[in-house]
Amino acid sequence: MIEETYFTQLFEENRFIILHHIRKLHLYENHDEYYQIGCIALWKAANSYNPDKGSSFSTYAYAVIRGHLLSELKKSKKLQQRYEPTENIEVTENNALEDEQLYVESVLVNLHESLTEKQMKWLNAYVKEGKSPKEIAVQENVAESAVKAWRRDALKKLAKMKGNLDIR
C-alpha cells in the first residue's frame, strides 16, 4: 500500500494521463464520473506497479487508466442498451383515456348481469356520460327521486360485489 503523500505527488505528475484519455475517448457526458474512475485507476496502478517488469510507471499507468475507463464505458453502454425501450410507443393523454374507457366498458359488461335494467341505465349515464341524477331523470322521463333510488340500490349491489370484481 502506498503512502498518501507519495500518491499525491504521483497524482500531480500523472493526472494528465487521465485527462488525455477522457479527451481521446470523447467522454464529455459524466466527465466528473470518468475523472474519478481515472483517479481510482491511477491509485490501483500505483499499488500494483512492479518496476521489475521493465516498463516505466507512466507507461503502466497509461494502460491501467485506459483499461478502467474503457471497461466503465462498455458497462455504461451495455446498461443503456439493456434499459432502452425496443419500441417507441408514444403514451399520450388520449391513449390513457382510451385505455380507461375500455376498462370501464369491460366492467360495465360484467355488471350487466347483476344489476337491473334501470340500475344499468343510471350507471351507464353516470359513468360514461357523466350525467347528474337530474339530467338522467329528464332523459328517462322519470322523477329525480326514482333515479336516486336506482343509484342507491346499484351502489348497494356494487358494494356487495366489490370483492368479486377487478376494481382498481
Side-chain angles (χ1 to χ4, degrees):
M1 195 69 148
I2 63 170
E3 293 181 27
E4 187 176 334
T5 54
Y6 175 69
F7 179 73
T8 305
Q9 178 187 356
L10 199 62
F11 174 75
E12 290 300 322
E13 293 171 2
N14 293 288
R15 72 180 186 158
F16 73 91
I17 297 172
I18 299 168
L19 297 171
H20 168 75
H21 282 302
I22 288 174
R23 219 176 15 260
K24 191 172 180 181
L25 295 171
H26 305 288
L27 302 174
Y28 300 113
E29 288 183 17
N30 304 325
H31 181 272
D32 293 338
E33 183 180 336
Y34 285 109
Y35 185 78
Q36 184 68 29
I37 291 166
C39 291
I40 292 168
L42 182 61
W43 174 265
K44 288 180 179 180
N47 281 315
S48 63
Y49 175 64
N50 184 355
D52 298 334
K53 297 267 179 161
S55 65
S56 69
F57 176 74
S58 60
T59 303
Y60 180 71
Y62 186 93
V64 171
I65 293 168
R66 181 173 174 80
H68 276 76
L69 289 173
L70 287 173
S71 292
E72 186 61 32
L73 188 60
K74 188 187 298 184
K75 199 178 345 175
S76 172
K77 292 289 183 190
K78 193 173 189 178
L79 264 174
Q80 201 174 39
Q81 289 172 347
R82 180 176 289 162
Y83 293 108
E84 192 173 299
T86 54
E87 292 181 28
N88 291 332
I89 300 173
E90 189 175 317
V91 178
T92 63
E93 196 172 307
N94 290 338
N95 289 350
L97 286 173
E98 288 173 13
D99 289 346
E100 189 66 29
Q101 287 171 345
L102 287 173
Y103 175 76
V104 168
E105 294 277 338
S106 69
V107 170
L108 289 176
V109 167
N110 290 334
L111 292 175
H112 190 68
E113 298 169 1
S114 303
L115 299 178
T116 66
E117 183 182 337
K118 292 178 181 180
Q119 291 167 348
M120 282 304 295
K121 283 183 183 180
W122 166 79
L123 191 60
N124 281 318
Y126 178 74
V127 172
K128 286 184 179 178
E129 302 166 22
K131 292 186 176 181
S132 68
K134 187 174 188 175
E135 293 170 322
I136 298 169
V138 170
Q139 176 184 326
E140 295 298 321
N141 200 24
V142 294
E144 185 178 350
S145 59
V147 174
K148 288 181 179 178
W150 301 347
R151 176 181 64 191
R152 182 189 63 237
D153 295 340
L155 290 174
K156 283 181 186 177
K157 285 183 181 179
L158 291 173
K160 288 180 184 177
M161 296 169 38
K162 184 179 180 184
N164 299 334
L165 291 176
D166 178 27
I167 296 178
R168 294 182 206 173

